[in-house]
């Protein structure tokens, strides 16, 4: 079936430009073009749409208002912003509303890639079981203010390590949580890190965003330890997976940005467990018992008992928060990478491998799932011959950290 994409822009010449630029996609996409928010909502109420791509600055109904309505009335539609310039206030308001951001002028290839990868996310967002479970969750954690401020700062032209460091420092609680996290022995820094600015300098701006989210989530759920589940162990597992994923990415010669995404996806890959644990504590304990007794992967027990897995819930949340698709995909499919429609090595590859290597080489996991490598996927992306070398890399990181 063709993907249905709706483009919204008040400027007719922009719509005409898009139509011309994307003409080669006609066989794969059913493309529609409207010139206002009201027309877009009217279209959505009459026809099925998979993906909406909208401008932000429009008279009467702007992009923020349009996407707010789309989010509540048509939550299954993927929301992409194609915006003229970085209007800080608007971007701040839309962080939670959009799944992806594109900046005009945007090359056709970039639009095609973004829409295609957003489409693979639809599978998660459209899963009725995930949706109904999320609707039973009273308090889906929201993005911390400091995170939004950091994202805004990073989108500005004069962004600097010092400014981002200062922003984090100004939030005393957040700053303490970030320092606690990066000073954990699992992070592998030999010297004590004493300020957020130093942390930003060492980790890089993008990675700091992932670390902010992680420390926020672990802090929000800090009272959720149960007889069966150790938050501390989950945190060390997540950090090690992030480090191994980054090492795998470097070894596979991925570019700098992708290497950072591998780290972020690694550190966040199991966050769905926290959400399940916090909202369905009794059931989650039953799930853990079930996976131990029947010797099956935790995610299989989750699927059997709750109908959804921690990978789907985590990916859904990150999707709602506007994380890049490659990170959402890595989280969603870290146990089942062969379901990905994308070819080639990606954050999904790095996180899948890192998760398995960490499970194999750190014997701490009475409450984590056991699972093996997906040989079919590894063969498909051409990594079979390098797998032993990559595993040694992962094992070395585990050995150095645990010893
Ligand atoms: Fe997992
Ligand atoms: Fe994991």
């Amino acid at each position: 079936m063709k993907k249905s994409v709706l483009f919204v822009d008040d400027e007719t010449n922009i719509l005409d430009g898009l139509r011309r630029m994307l003409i080669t996609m006609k066989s794969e996409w059913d493309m529609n073009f409207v010139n206002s928010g009201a027309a877009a909502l009217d279209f959505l109420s009459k026809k099925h749409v998979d993906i909406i791509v909208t401008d932000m600055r429009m008279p009467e109904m702007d992009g923020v208002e349009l996407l707010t309505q789309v989010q509540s009335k048509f939550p299954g539609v993927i929301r992409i912003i194609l915006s003229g310039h970085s209007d800080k206030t608007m971007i701040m308001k839309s962080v939670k509303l959009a799944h992806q951001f594109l900046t005009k002028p945007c090359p056709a290839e970039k639009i095609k890639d973004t829409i295609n990868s957003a489409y693979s996310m639809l599978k998660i967002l459209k899963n009725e079981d995930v949706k109904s479970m999320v609707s039973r969750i009273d308090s889906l954690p929201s993005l911390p203010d400091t995170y939004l401020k950091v994202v805004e700062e990073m989108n500005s032209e004069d962004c600097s390590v010092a400014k981002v460091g200062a922003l984090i420092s100004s939030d005393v609680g957040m700053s303490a949580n970030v320092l606690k996290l990066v000073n954990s022995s699992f992070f592998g820094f030999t010297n004590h890190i004493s300020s957020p600015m130093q942390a930003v300098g060492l980790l890089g701006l993008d990675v700091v965003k992932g670390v902010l989210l992680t420390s926020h989530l672990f802090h929000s759920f800090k009272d959720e330890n149960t007889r069966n589940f150790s938050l501390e162990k989950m945190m060390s597992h997540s950090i090690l997976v992030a480090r191994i994923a980054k090492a795998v990415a470097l070894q596979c010669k991925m570019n700098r940005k992708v290497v950072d995404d591998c780290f972020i996806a690694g550190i966040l890959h199991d966050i769905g467990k926290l959400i399940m644990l916090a909202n369905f504590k009794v059931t989650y304990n039953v799930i853990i018992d079930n996976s131990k007794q029947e010797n099956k992967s935790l995610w299989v027990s989750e699927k059997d008992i709750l109908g959804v897995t921690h990978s789907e819930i985590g990916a859904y949340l990150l999707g709602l928060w506007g994380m890049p698709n490659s990170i959402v995909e890595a989280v969603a499919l870290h146990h089942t990478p062969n379901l990905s429609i994308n070819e080639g090595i990606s954050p999904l590859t790095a996180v899948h491998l890192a998760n398995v290597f960490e499970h194999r080489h750190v014997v701490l996991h009475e409450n984590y799932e056991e699972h093996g490598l997906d040989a079919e996927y590894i063969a498909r992306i051409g990594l079979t011959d390098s797998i032993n070398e990559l595993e040694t890399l992962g094992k070395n990181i585990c050995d150095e950290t645990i010893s």
Side-chain angles (χ1 to χ4, degrees):
M1 208 173 90
K2 276 189 182 180
K3 299 165 196 170
S4 160
V5 190
L6 179 64
F7 292 91
V8 191
D9 203 304
D10 59 309
E11 289 176 59
T12 323
N13 59 343
I14 298 262
L15 292 178
D16 288 344
L18 284 167
R19 202 175 276 146
R20 275 195 306 275
M21 195 158 94
L22 298 169
I23 196 137
T24 53
M25 300 311 289
K26 257 177 101 177
S27 57
E28 289 175 46
W29 300 349
D30 174 15
M31 288 181 270
N32 292 283
F33 301 84
V34 292
N35 63 4
S36 72
L41 290 173
D42 182 53
F43 189 92
L44 281 156
S45 67
K46 292 177 182 148
K47 277 195 159 176
H48 168 80
V49 171
D50 290 315
I51 296 170
I52 184 167
V53 182
T54 181
D55 185 24
M56 287 310 275
R57 278 183 186 281
M58 294 184 288
E60 288 157 30
M61 187 186 294
D62 66 18
V64 172
E65 198 188 331
L66 171 62
L67 291 185
T68 309
Q69 294 213 36
V70 173
Q71 187 180 34
S72 72
K73 290 183 186 152
F74 311 97
V77 178
I78 296 268
R79 304 177 296 273
I80 299 177
I81 289 174
L82 176 58
S83 178
H85 32 78
S86 48
D87 182 293
K88 277 191 189 175
T89 348
M90 274 208 169
I91 286 183
M92 281 290 284
K93 282 191 200 153
S94 59
V95 163
K96 290 185 196 176
L97 290 171
H99 297 114
Q100 283 284 290
F101 298 85
L102 293 169
T103 323
K104 287 183 208 163
C106 188
E109 279 312 310
K110 174 96 179 139
I111 299 184
K112 286 177 199 169
D113 286 353
T114 305
I115 290 183
N116 278 333
S117 64
Y119 193 73
S120 54
M121 224 176 85
L122 269 178
K123 280 195 193 139
I124 309 163
L125 297 173
K126 281 204 167 159
N127 180 334
E128 288 304 320
D129 292 331
V130 175
K131 266 201 264 175
S132 84
M133 171 153 174
V134 171
S135 67
R136 283 157 63 202
I137 293 175
D138 321 317
S139 55
L140 210 53
S142 60
L143 279 171
D145 283 352
T146 308
Y147 177 83
L148 296 174
K149 287 182 191 154
V150 167
V151 171
E152 184 197 23
E153 179 58 41
M154 284 173 61
N155 285 328
S156 74
E157 275 169 16
D158 55 349
C159 171
S160 69
V161 167
K163 283 188 176 172
V164 173
L167 262 176
I168 302 172
S169 306
S170 66
D171 178 340
V172 181
M174 175 66 86
S175 162
N177 294 335
V178 166
L179 289 177
K180 195 172 149 206
L181 184 70
V182 295
N183 280 311
S184 117
S185 60
F186 296 98
F187 241 97
F189 291 128
T190 37
N191 294 328
H192 183 81
I193 295 160
S194 53
S195 71
M197 191 162 111
Q198 199 187 352
V200 182
L202 283 166
L203 295 165
L205 289 166
D206 273 316
V207 169
V208 155
K209 281 199 299 184
V211 168
L212 276 180
L213 279 185
T214 308
S215 66
H216 168 70
L217 285 165
F218 275 103
H219 186 73
S220 315
F221 294 116
K222 67 181 185 310
D223 299 324
E224 299 298 340
N225 279 307
T226 73
R227 68 180 164 82
N228 253 335
F229 192 91
S230 153
L231 215 61
E232 203 94 315
K233 284 180 185 167
M234 184 186 148
M235 179 132 93
S236 57
H237 166 69
S238 304
I239 300 169
L240 275 174
V241 168
R243 287 180 55 205
I244 301 169
K246 180 178 174 178
V248 167
L250 287 169
Q251 181 78 7
C252 294
K253 307 221 166 13
M254 297 189 199
N255 74 39
R256 180 67 222 217
K257 170 84 182 79
V258 183
V259 171
D260 284 351
D261 284 352
C262 290
F263 187 94
I264 299 168
I267 205 167
L268 290 167
H269 78 284
D270 275 339
I271 56 149
K273 286 182 185 173
L274 293 184
I275 296 160
M276 285 181 155
L277 190 67
N279 289 279
F280 307 96
K281 203 173 216 161
V282 175
T283 316
Y284 209 63
N285 271 309
V286 172
I287 289 172
I288 295 171
D289 286 339
N290 174 270
S291 88
K292 281 184 192 167
Q293 283 155 8
E294 301 200 7
N295 200 18
K296 53 186 178 187
S297 296
L298 186 61
W299 67 271
V300 176
S301 292
E302 290 168 354
K303 192 90 184 163
D304 289 347
I305 294 170
L306 272 175
V308 293
T309 65
H310 66 267
S311 22
E312 290 166 325
I313 292 289
Y316 188 86
L317 181 70
L318 295 181
L320 288 178
W321 282 355
M323 276 277 167
N325 283 331
S326 63
I327 294 180
V328 174
E329 185 194 60
V331 173
L333 304 178
H334 69 270
H335 304 293
T336 50
N338 213 21
L339 294 178
S340 168
I341 56 166
N342 299 318
E343 297 301 328
I345 300 170
S346 66
L348 170 63
T349 320
V351 173
H352 173 64
L353 298 184
N355 190 41
V356 174
F357 298 159
E358 204 274 355
H359 278 288
R360 280 186 186 164
H361 298 292
V362 178
V363 197
L364 278 175
H365 306 291
E366 71 272 18
N367 58 11
Y368 297 120
E369 70 259 54
E370 269 297 321
H371 38 227
L373 291 170
D374 185 333
E376 209 175 307
Y377 170 71
I378 290 161
R380 170 159 76 94
I381 55 167
L383 271 189
T384 308
D385 290 344
S386 358
I387 206 73
N388 290 339
E389 196 188 338
L390 293 172
E391 178 150 7
T392 307
L393 200 69
K395 181 179 183 304
N396 289 343
I397 292 176
C398 295
D399 291 348
E400 277 160 26
T401 314
I402 305 300
S403 63

